[in-house]
Amino acid sequence: MNWKKIRFLFKVYWVRILLSAVISALLISLIYFITIGLKAWNESESYLKQTQLAAAPLQMYMWSVMGIIQGAVYVFMMYWMFYKKGASAMTHTSTKSISGKDVGVTWADVIGMDEAKQEALEVVNLITDRAELQRIGGKILRGLLLLGPPGCGKTYLAKAIATESKLPFIAMSGSEFVEMFVGVGAGRIRSLFKQARQLSDVHGGCLIFIDEMDALGARRALDTGFGGTSEHNQTLNQLLVEMDGLKEKDLNIVIIGATNAPENILDAALLRPGRFDRKIYVDRPNLEDRKKLFEYYLKKVQFDEADVKTDRLAQITVGQTPADIANIVREAALISVRHKKLLITMKEIDDARERIALGIKRRIKVREEEKWQTAYHEAGHAIITYLLVPTQDVFKITITPRGHTGGATWTPEIEEIFIQDKRKLLGDIKAALGSFSAEKLKLGTTTAGVDSDFKQALGIAHNMVWRWGMGKSGIIGNFHALPTHQGGMPLMSEEMKTRLDNDTQAIMQECLKENDELLKNEEPLLERLAKELVAKGELNYDEIEYIFKEFGKGRARL
């Protein structure tokens, strides 16, 4: 054991060392006084002299012991009250470090996100191979920021970095530093970095992982008078100072932050060079990565290999995160156990996807009239999507009440789309308005069930005109970027607002007109789909395909 470890152990365990020393001193003094007492007993010439000599050491020992015990109890109580349970305890972090080799998450456990893993591997090499970096005059990076949607594996990636680097790993959440008392968060930051420096002295480095970084690193603002903003500002200022303080010594300490929030939410001072030097974007998995994820999680359960096809599962889960895929497999296993089946099949996986997305089936009695209303509503969505939206697939239609919905048409994306053009946006509006067109055609009126469909369609049309310059009048500009009134509306003339609103409504009406014409021409198909839905309650992918092929209809193509 070298002197660094000895110094580290003394700093961390000084209370235990002191108590051990006191107990050892008591034992030694006990042996010493007993020895003197026995010697006095053996050498005494009279009974009185012998008694006095024998009792004196024991009395002195008892007085000493009582004084030491009283002093130890007093010191312990003061330490407990003012450090462990008192005011300073609020600024003390009790988070324990984990050895990198004990984290237990390897590169093999991080499925997909190859680009993010490659960047993370470069970070590991920089952390572990400091000599080579110093040889060419480079500096160790101070901070690594992981950005991306929730459930995509940012925490998993941070743990894999700790495992590969074999350094102590301290994990905390940004919310653990936020308190109502000013100064508490800053004290916890100091305590955290003190612990990290001690570990770095002993092990040659340390990793600090702060999850939900936006709770700690959001932009600083002026205090509104209640103290909360001042507390946040002081905590963030202390983090900035500590990260700068790492430059004073060649400490191999790296801070890894993770956040789901947009990068512009964070304070600019955190993102400058010398603090969070490297950013890694951890995005949703692509088609190949989703296939690997299903293969990885299905290995942990018993499934029917002949029935469950991972390539098909990857195709129907566009936009799903690794956490979503793990949850699907886990829910499918629970459904299999509930139905007393030995193997998971595609049916259990489909049921799991539906239950997660739509909720459990509600056992309520629906009137026949409402069944037909819902059937026309959902059939309208399905026909418009199938015939007019080439980027989406009609996977399932149901009129069985689930969660807060009376029915649903499942239309997942066929493949990842990173840039939405005008054709894609118009297709989404048409698909959303398909229910309204079908209800109006078959019922002569419409229902309140189109509320969420209108919200989706109007939101897309509004953005097309107000933000992306896709209105028919040719007006361009992102009008949401203008300064706003107190009510949130952009500062612009009423005439301009009217023209933009008219362009928005024009898009809605044009899409609705095309829907009405299509459904009127395909009324027999609409009637057939609705009839099958009323009879069966739901239609699966193969049944939907069969009905469309029966009418000689092919899927829309790009």
PDB file of all heavy atoms in Angstrom, residues 121-150:
ATOM      1  N   LEU A 121     -15.587   5.478 -26.880  1.00  0.00           N
ATOM      2  CA  LEU A 121     -14.335   4.723 -26.804  1.00  0.00           C
ATOM      3  C   LEU A 121     -13.133   5.651 -26.895  1.00  0.00           C
ATOM      4  O   LEU A 121     -12.120   5.444 -26.213  1.00  0.00           O
ATOM      5  CB  LEU A 121     -14.290   3.682 -27.925  1.00  0.00           C
ATOM      6  CG  LEU A 121     -13.076   2.747 -27.924  1.00  0.00           C
ATOM      7  CD1 LEU A 121     -13.011   1.960 -26.631  1.00  0.00           C
ATOM      8  CD2 LEU A 121     -13.139   1.797 -29.120  1.00  0.00           C
ATOM      9  N   GLU A 122     -13.245   6.698 -27.713  1.00  0.00           N
ATOM     10  CA  GLU A 122     -12.158   7.681 -27.782  1.00  0.00           C
ATOM     11  C   GLU A 122     -11.981   8.373 -26.426  1.00  0.00           C
ATOM     12  O   GLU A 122     -10.850   8.651 -26.004  1.00  0.00           O
ATOM     13  CB  GLU A 122     -12.469   8.716 -28.857  1.00  0.00           C
ATOM     14  CG  GLU A 122     -12.442   8.156 -30.278  1.00  0.00           C
ATOM     15  CD  GLU A 122     -12.788   9.220 -31.302  1.00  0.00           C
ATOM     16  OE1 GLU A 122     -12.947  10.392 -30.905  1.00  0.00           O
ATOM     17  OE2 GLU A 122     -12.906   8.879 -32.496  1.00  0.00           O
ATOM     18  N   VAL A 123     -13.089   8.645 -25.752  1.00  0.00           N
ATOM     19  CA  VAL A 123     -13.013   9.257 -24.423  1.00  0.00           C
ATOM     20  C   VAL A 123     -12.312   8.329 -23.446  1.00  0.00           C
ATOM     21  O   VAL A 123     -11.462   8.756 -22.655  1.00  0.00           O
ATOM     22  CB  VAL A 123     -14.425   9.615 -23.913  1.00  0.00           C
ATOM     23  CG1 VAL A 123     -14.380  10.066 -22.465  1.00  0.00           C
ATOM     24  CG2 VAL A 123     -15.047  10.687 -24.792  1.00  0.00           C
ATOM     25  N   VAL A 124     -12.645   7.047 -23.490  1.00  0.00           N
ATOM     26  CA  VAL A 124     -11.996   6.072 -22.613  1.00  0.00           C
ATOM     27  C   VAL A 124     -10.492   6.043 -22.874  1.00  0.00           C
ATOM     28  O   VAL A 124      -9.681   6.008 -21.936  1.00  0.00           O
ATOM     29  CB  VAL A 124     -12.609   4.672 -22.815  1.00  0.00           C
ATOM     30  CG1 VAL A 124     -11.812   3.621 -22.057  1.00  0.00           C
ATOM     31  CG2 VAL A 124     -14.056   4.660 -22.355  1.00  0.00           C
ATOM     32  N   ASN A 125     -10.104   6.059 -24.142  1.00  0.00           N
ATOM     33  CA  ASN A 125      -8.675   6.043 -24.475  1.00  0.00           C
ATOM     34  C   ASN A 125      -7.965   7.283 -23.950  1.00  0.00           C
ATOM     35  O   ASN A 125      -6.823   7.214 -23.476  1.00  0.00           O
ATOM     36  CB  ASN A 125      -8.498   5.942 -25.994  1.00  0.00           C
ATOM     37  CG  ASN A 125      -8.966   4.608 -26.536  1.00  0.00           C
ATOM     38  OD1 ASN A 125      -8.987   3.608 -25.815  1.00  0.00           O
ATOM     39  ND2 ASN A 125      -9.350   4.567 -27.801  1.00  0.00           N
ATOM     40  N   LEU A 126      -8.638   8.438 -24.019  1.00  0.00           N
ATOM     41  CA  LEU A 126      -8.040   9.662 -23.490  1.00  0.00           C
ATOM     42  C   LEU A 126      -7.873   9.591 -21.976  1.00  0.00           C
ATOM     43  O   LEU A 126      -6.887  10.094 -21.423  1.00  0.00           O
ATOM     44  CB  LEU A 126      -8.910  10.865 -23.852  1.00  0.00           C
ATOM     45  CG  LEU A 126      -8.930  11.294 -25.325  1.00  0.00           C
ATOM     46  CD1 LEU A 126      -9.964  12.386 -25.545  1.00  0.00           C
ATOM     47  CD2 LEU A 126      -7.558  11.777 -25.771  1.00  0.00           C
ATOM     48  N   ILE A 127      -8.843   8.971 -21.312  1.00  0.00           N
ATOM     49  CA  ILE A 127      -8.779   8.871 -19.854  1.00  0.00           C
ATOM     50  C   ILE A 127      -7.686   7.907 -19.419  1.00  0.00           C
ATOM     51  O   ILE A 127      -6.919   8.177 -18.484  1.00  0.00           O
ATOM     52  CB  ILE A 127     -10.138   8.414 -19.290  1.00  0.00           C
ATOM     53  CG1 ILE A 127     -11.206   9.469 -19.557  1.00  0.00           C
ATOM     54  CG2 ILE A 127     -10.051   8.145 -17.781  1.00  0.00           C
ATOM     55  CD1 ILE A 127     -12.608   9.010 -19.220  1.00  0.00           C
ATOM     56  N   THR A 128      -7.590   6.766 -20.083  1.00  0.00           N
ATOM     57  CA  THR A 128      -6.676   5.708 -19.652  1.00  0.00           C
ATOM     58  C   THR A 128      -5.256   5.902 -20.155  1.00  0.00           C
ATOM     59  O   THR A 128      -4.304   5.456 -19.517  1.00  0.00           O
ATOM     60  CB  THR A 128      -7.200   4.345 -20.113  1.00  0.00           C
ATOM     61  OG1 THR A 128      -7.397   4.364 -21.542  1.00  0.00           O
ATOM     62  CG2 THR A 128      -8.525   4.027 -19.452  1.00  0.00           C
ATOM     63  N   ASP A 129      -5.076   6.557 -21.298  1.00  0.00           N
ATOM     64  CA  ASP A 129      -3.739   6.710 -21.881  1.00  0.00           C
ATOM     65  C   ASP A 129      -3.284   8.148 -21.754  1.00  0.00           C
ATOM     66  O   ASP A 129      -3.055   8.846 -22.730  1.00  0.00           O
ATOM     67  CB  ASP A 129      -3.754   6.265 -23.346  1.00  0.00           C
ATOM     68  CG  ASP A 129      -2.340   6.051 -23.895  1.00  0.00           C
ATOM     69  OD1 ASP A 129      -1.388   6.160 -23.099  1.00  0.00           O
ATOM     70  OD2 ASP A 129      -2.203   5.797 -25.093  1.00  0.00           O
ATOM     71  N   ARG A 130      -3.154   8.605 -20.522  1.00  0.00           N
ATOM     72  CA  ARG A 130      -2.773   9.992 -20.280  1.00  0.00           C
ATOM     73  C   ARG A 130      -1.334  10.276 -20.701  1.00  0.00           C
ATOM     74  O   ARG A 130      -1.010  11.376 -21.146  1.00  0.00           O
ATOM     75  CB  ARG A 130      -2.943  10.325 -18.804  1.00  0.00           C
ATOM     76  CG  ARG A 130      -4.360  10.205 -18.300  1.00  0.00           C
ATOM     77  CD  ARG A 130      -4.420  10.343 -16.794  1.00  0.00           C
ATOM     78  NE  ARG A 130      -3.979  11.647 -16.354  1.00  0.00           N
ATOM     79  CZ  ARG A 130      -3.519  11.908 -15.134  1.00  0.00           C
ATOM     80  NH1 ARG A 130      -3.460  10.946 -14.241  1.00  0.00           N
ATOM     81  NH2 ARG A 130      -3.147  13.120 -14.799  1.00  0.00           N
ATOM     82  N   ALA A 131      -0.469   9.285 -20.567  1.00  0.00           N
ATOM     83  CA  ALA A 131       0.953   9.491 -20.889  1.00  0.00           C
ATOM     84  C   ALA A 131       1.132   9.874 -22.357  1.00  0.00           C
ATOM     85  O   ALA A 131       1.887  10.803 -22.692  1.00  0.00           O
ATOM     86  CB  ALA A 131       1.753   8.232 -20.566  1.00  0.00           C
ATOM     87  N   GLU A 132       0.415   9.187 -23.230  1.00  0.00           N
ATOM     88  CA  GLU A 132       0.523   9.488 -24.651  1.00  0.00           C
ATOM     89  C   GLU A 132      -0.028  10.869 -24.955  1.00  0.00           C
ATOM     90  O   GLU A 132       0.519  11.610 -25.786  1.00  0.00           O
ATOM     91  CB  GLU A 132      -0.246   8.422 -25.453  1.00  0.00           C
ATOM     92  CG  GLU A 132      -0.197   8.602 -26.955  1.00  0.00           C
ATOM     93  CD  GLU A 132       1.203   8.454 -27.531  1.00  0.00           C
ATOM     94  OE1 GLU A 132       2.066   7.841 -26.857  1.00  0.00           O
ATOM     95  OE2 GLU A 132       1.453   8.966 -28.639  1.00  0.00           O
ATOM     96  N   LEU A 133      -1.108  11.236 -24.273  1.00  0.00           N
ATOM     97  CA  LEU A 133      -1.700  12.548 -24.486  1.00  0.00           C
ATOM     98  C   LEU A 133      -0.759  13.644 -24.003  1.00  0.00           C
ATOM     99  O   LEU A 133      -0.591  14.668 -24.674  1.00  0.00           O
ATOM    100  CB  LEU A 133      -3.033  12.625 -23.741  1.00  0.00           C
ATOM    101  CG  LEU A 133      -3.872  13.887 -23.960  1.00  0.00           C
ATOM    102  CD1 LEU A 133      -4.330  13.974 -25.407  1.00  0.00           C
ATOM    103  CD2 LEU A 133      -5.086  13.905 -23.029  1.00  0.00           C
ATOM    104  N   GLN A 134      -0.118  13.433 -22.844  1.00  0.00           N
ATOM    105  CA  GLN A 134       0.792  14.436 -22.305  1.00  0.00           C
ATOM    106  C   GLN A 134       2.073  14.538 -23.129  1.00  0.00           C
ATOM    107  O   GLN A 134       2.702  15.581 -23.183  1.00  0.00           O
ATOM    108  CB  GLN A 134       1.119  14.100 -20.850  1.00  0.00           C
ATOM    109  CG  GLN A 134      -0.071  14.276 -19.913  1.00  0.00           C
ATOM    110  CD  GLN A 134       0.205  13.740 -18.522  1.00  0.00           C
ATOM    111  OE1 GLN A 134       1.105  12.926 -18.335  1.00  0.00           O
ATOM    112  NE2 GLN A 134      -0.587  14.180 -17.560  1.00  0.00           N
ATOM    113  N   ARG A 135       2.424  13.443 -23.795  1.00  0.00           N
ATOM    114  CA  ARG A 135       3.658  13.437 -24.593  1.00  0.00           C
ATOM    115  C   ARG A 135       3.583  14.455 -25.723  1.00  0.00           C
ATOM    116  O   ARG A 135       4.582  15.089 -26.074  1.00  0.00           O
ATOM    117  CB  ARG A 135       3.901  12.036 -25.157  1.00  0.00           C
ATOM    118  CG  ARG A 135       5.213  11.898 -25.934  1.00  0.00           C
ATOM    119  CD  ARG A 135       5.356  10.507 -26.514  1.00  0.00           C
ATOM    120  NE  ARG A 135       4.318  10.228 -27.501  1.00  0.00           N
ATOM    121  CZ  ARG A 135       4.371  10.670 -28.767  1.00  0.00           C
ATOM    122  NH1 ARG A 135       5.388  11.400 -29.174  1.00  0.00           N
ATOM    123  NH2 ARG A 135       3.402  10.376 -29.593  1.00  0.00           N
ATOM    124  N   ILE A 136       2.408  14.612 -26.299  1.00  0.00           N
ATOM    125  CA  ILE A 136       2.263  15.552 -27.396  1.00  0.00           C
ATOM    126  C   ILE A 136       1.728  16.902 -26.920  1.00  0.00           C
ATOM    127  O   ILE A 136       1.373  17.761 -27.716  1.00  0.00           O
ATOM    128  CB  ILE A 136       1.314  14.984 -28.477  1.00  0.00           C
ATOM    129  CG1 ILE A 136      -0.083  14.729 -27.905  1.00  0.00           C
ATOM    130  CG2 ILE A 136       1.881  13.713 -29.062  1.00  0.00           C
ATOM    131  CD1 ILE A 136      -1.084  14.296 -28.950  1.00  0.00           C
ATOM    132  N   GLY A 137       1.648  17.076 -25.595  1.00  0.00           N
ATOM    133  CA  GLY A 137       1.239  18.356 -25.038  1.00  0.00           C
ATOM    134  C   GLY A 137      -0.248  18.549 -24.906  1.00  0.00           C
ATOM    135  O   GLY A 137      -0.706  19.667 -24.669  1.00  0.00           O
ATOM    136  N   GLY A 138      -1.030  17.500 -25.047  1.00  0.00           N
ATOM    137  CA  GLY A 138      -2.488  17.610 -24.952  1.00  0.00           C
ATOM    138  C   GLY A 138      -2.962  17.644 -23.513  1.00  0.00           C
ATOM    139  O   GLY A 138      -2.230  17.300 -22.583  1.00  0.00           O
ATOM    140  N   LYS A 139      -4.173  18.056 -23.324  1.00  0.00           N
ATOM    141  CA  LYS A 139      -4.802  18.135 -22.008  1.00  0.00           C
ATOM    142  C   LYS A 139      -5.976  17.161 -21.944  1.00  0.00           C
ATOM    143  O   LYS A 139      -6.704  16.984 -22.911  1.00  0.00           O
ATOM    144  CB  LYS A 139      -5.301  19.555 -21.725  1.00  0.00           C
ATOM    145  CG  LYS A 139      -4.190  20.604 -21.681  1.00  0.00           C
ATOM    146  CD  LYS A 139      -3.283  20.402 -20.480  1.00  0.00           C
ATOM    147  CE  LYS A 139      -2.252  21.533 -20.389  1.00  0.00           C
ATOM    148  NZ  LYS A 139      -1.351  21.344 -19.242  1.00  0.00           N
ATOM    149  N   ILE A 140      -6.127  16.552 -20.775  1.00  0.00           N
ATOM    150  CA  ILE A 140      -7.238  15.620 -20.587  1.00  0.00           C
ATOM    151  C   ILE A 140      -8.546  16.401 -20.647  1.00  0.00           C
ATOM    152  O   ILE A 140      -8.646  17.529 -20.171  1.00  0.00           O
ATOM    153  CB  ILE A 140      -7.097  14.883 -19.235  1.00  0.00           C
ATOM    154  CG1 ILE A 140      -8.182  13.817 -19.093  1.00  0.00           C
ATOM    155  CG2 ILE A 140      -7.177  15.870 -18.093  1.00  0.00           C
ATOM    156  CD1 ILE A 140      -8.045  12.686 -20.039  1.00  0.00           C
ATOM    157  N   LEU A 141      -9.567  15.846 -21.265  1.00  0.00           N
ATOM    158  CA  LEU A 141     -10.849  16.527 -21.325  1.00  0.00           C
ATOM    159  C   LEU A 141     -11.474  16.549 -19.937  1.00  0.00           C
ATOM    160  O   LEU A 141     -11.257  15.668 -19.110  1.00  0.00           O
ATOM    161  CB  LEU A 141     -11.775  15.875 -22.350  1.00  0.00           C
ATOM    162  CG  LEU A 141     -12.182  14.412 -22.168  1.00  0.00           C
ATOM    163  CD1 LEU A 141     -13.438  14.302 -21.335  1.00  0.00           C
ATOM    164  CD2 LEU A 141     -12.402  13.765 -23.521  1.00  0.00           C
ATOM    165  N   ARG A 142     -12.264  17.573 -19.690  1.00  0.00           N
ATOM    166  CA  ARG A 142     -12.853  17.779 -18.367  1.00  0.00           C
ATOM    167  C   ARG A 142     -14.299  17.314 -18.288  1.00  0.00           C
ATOM    168  O   ARG A 142     -14.749  16.884 -17.231  1.00  0.00           O
ATOM    169  CB  ARG A 142     -12.767  19.262 -17.993  1.00  0.00           C
ATOM    170  CG  ARG A 142     -11.357  19.796 -17.917  1.00  0.00           C
ATOM    171  CD  ARG A 142     -10.527  19.016 -16.941  1.00  0.00           C
ATOM    172  NE  ARG A 142      -9.140  19.455 -16.913  1.00  0.00           N
ATOM    173  CZ  ARG A 142      -8.151  18.771 -16.372  1.00  0.00           C
ATOM    174  NH1 ARG A 142      -8.399  17.589 -15.821  1.00  0.00           N
ATOM    175  NH2 ARG A 142      -6.919  19.225 -16.381  1.00  0.00           N
ATOM    176  N   GLY A 143     -15.032  17.468 -19.380  1.00  0.00           N
ATOM    177  CA  GLY A 143     -16.445  17.142 -19.321  1.00  0.00           C
ATOM    178  C   GLY A 143     -16.933  16.493 -20.599  1.00  0.00           C
ATOM    179  O   GLY A 143     -16.457  16.792 -21.695  1.00  0.00           O
ATOM    180  N   LEU A 144     -17.876  15.589 -20.443  1.00  0.00           N
ATOM    181  CA  LEU A 144     -18.504  14.891 -21.569  1.00  0.00           C
ATOM    182  C   LEU A 144     -20.010  15.017 -21.390  1.00  0.00           C
ATOM    183  O   LEU A 144     -20.552  14.654 -20.340  1.00  0.00           O
ATOM    184  CB  LEU A 144     -18.084  13.419 -21.577  1.00  0.00           C
ATOM    185  CG  LEU A 144     -18.817  12.491 -22.537  1.00  0.00           C
ATOM    186  CD1 LEU A 144     -18.501  12.880 -23.973  1.00  0.00           C
ATOM    187  CD2 LEU A 144     -18.418  11.044 -22.288  1.00  0.00           C
ATOM    188  N   LEU A 145     -20.708  15.535 -22.405  1.00  0.00           N
ATOM    189  CA  LEU A 145     -22.143  15.761 -22.321  1.00  0.00           C
ATOM    190  C   LEU A 145     -22.858  14.786 -23.247  1.00  0.00           C
ATOM    191  O   LEU A 145     -22.590  14.750 -24.451  1.00  0.00           O
ATOM    192  CB  LEU A 145     -22.482  17.200 -22.705  1.00  0.00           C
ATOM    193  CG  LEU A 145     -23.934  17.635 -22.523  1.00  0.00           C
ATOM    194  CD1 LEU A 145     -24.343  17.537 -21.060  1.00  0.00           C
ATOM    195  CD2 LEU A 145     -24.130  19.064 -23.042  1.00  0.00           C
ATOM    196  N   LEU A 146     -23.772  13.988 -22.690  1.00  0.00           N
ATOM    197  CA  LEU A 146     -24.572  13.038 -23.452  1.00  0.00           C
ATOM    198  C   LEU A 146     -25.955  13.645 -23.683  1.00  0.00           C
ATOM    199  O   LEU A 146     -26.658  13.969 -22.722  1.00  0.00           O
ATOM    200  CB  LEU A 146     -24.694  11.711 -22.696  1.00  0.00           C
ATOM    201  CG  LEU A 146     -23.380  11.031 -22.296  1.00  0.00           C
ATOM    202  CD1 LEU A 146     -23.662   9.756 -21.514  1.00  0.00           C
ATOM    203  CD2 LEU A 146     -22.525  10.732 -23.512  1.00  0.00           C
ATOM    204  N   LEU A 147     -26.328  13.783 -24.945  1.00  0.00           N
ATOM    205  CA  LEU A 147     -27.590  14.415 -25.313  1.00  0.00           C
ATOM    206  C   LEU A 147     -28.454  13.432 -26.085  1.00  0.00           C
ATOM    207  O   LEU A 147     -27.936  12.617 -26.854  1.00  0.00           O
ATOM    208  CB  LEU A 147     -27.340  15.650 -26.180  1.00  0.00           C
ATOM    209  CG  LEU A 147     -26.506  16.773 -25.550  1.00  0.00           C
ATOM    210  CD1 LEU A 147     -25.912  17.659 -26.635  1.00  0.00           C
ATOM    211  CD2 LEU A 147     -27.368  17.614 -24.632  1.00  0.00           C
ATOM    212  N   GLY A 148     -29.772  13.508 -25.909  1.00  0.00           N
ATOM    213  CA  GLY A 148     -30.652  12.641 -26.670  1.00  0.00           C
ATOM    214  C   GLY A 148     -31.970  12.408 -25.971  1.00  0.00           C
ATOM    215  O   GLY A 148     -32.148  12.764 -24.796  1.00  0.00           O
ATOM    216  N   PRO A 149     -32.923  11.794 -26.666  1.00  0.00           N
ATOM    217  CA  PRO A 149     -34.245  11.535 -26.082  1.00  0.00           C
ATOM    218  C   PRO A 149     -34.150  10.567 -24.912  1.00  0.00           C
ATOM    219  O   PRO A 149     -33.172   9.814 -24.783  1.00  0.00           O
ATOM    220  CB  PRO A 149     -35.031  10.905 -27.252  1.00  0.00           C
ATOM    221  CG  PRO A 149     -34.251  11.226 -28.481  1.00  0.00           C
ATOM    222  CD  PRO A 149     -32.823  11.339 -28.063  1.00  0.00           C
ATOM    223  N   PRO A 150     -35.156  10.551 -24.041  1.00  0.00           N
ATOM    224  CA  PRO A 150     -35.145   9.609 -22.906  1.00  0.00           C
ATOM    225  C   PRO A 150     -35.254   8.171 -23.383  1.00  0.00           C
ATOM    226  O   PRO A 150     -35.908   7.872 -24.378  1.00  0.00           O
ATOM    227  CB  PRO A 150     -36.375  10.024 -22.090  1.00  0.00           C
ATOM    228  CG  PRO A 150     -37.250  10.757 -23.046  1.00  0.00           C
ATOM    229  CD  PRO A 150     -36.345  11.423 -24.018  1.00  0.00           C
TER     230      PRO A 150
END
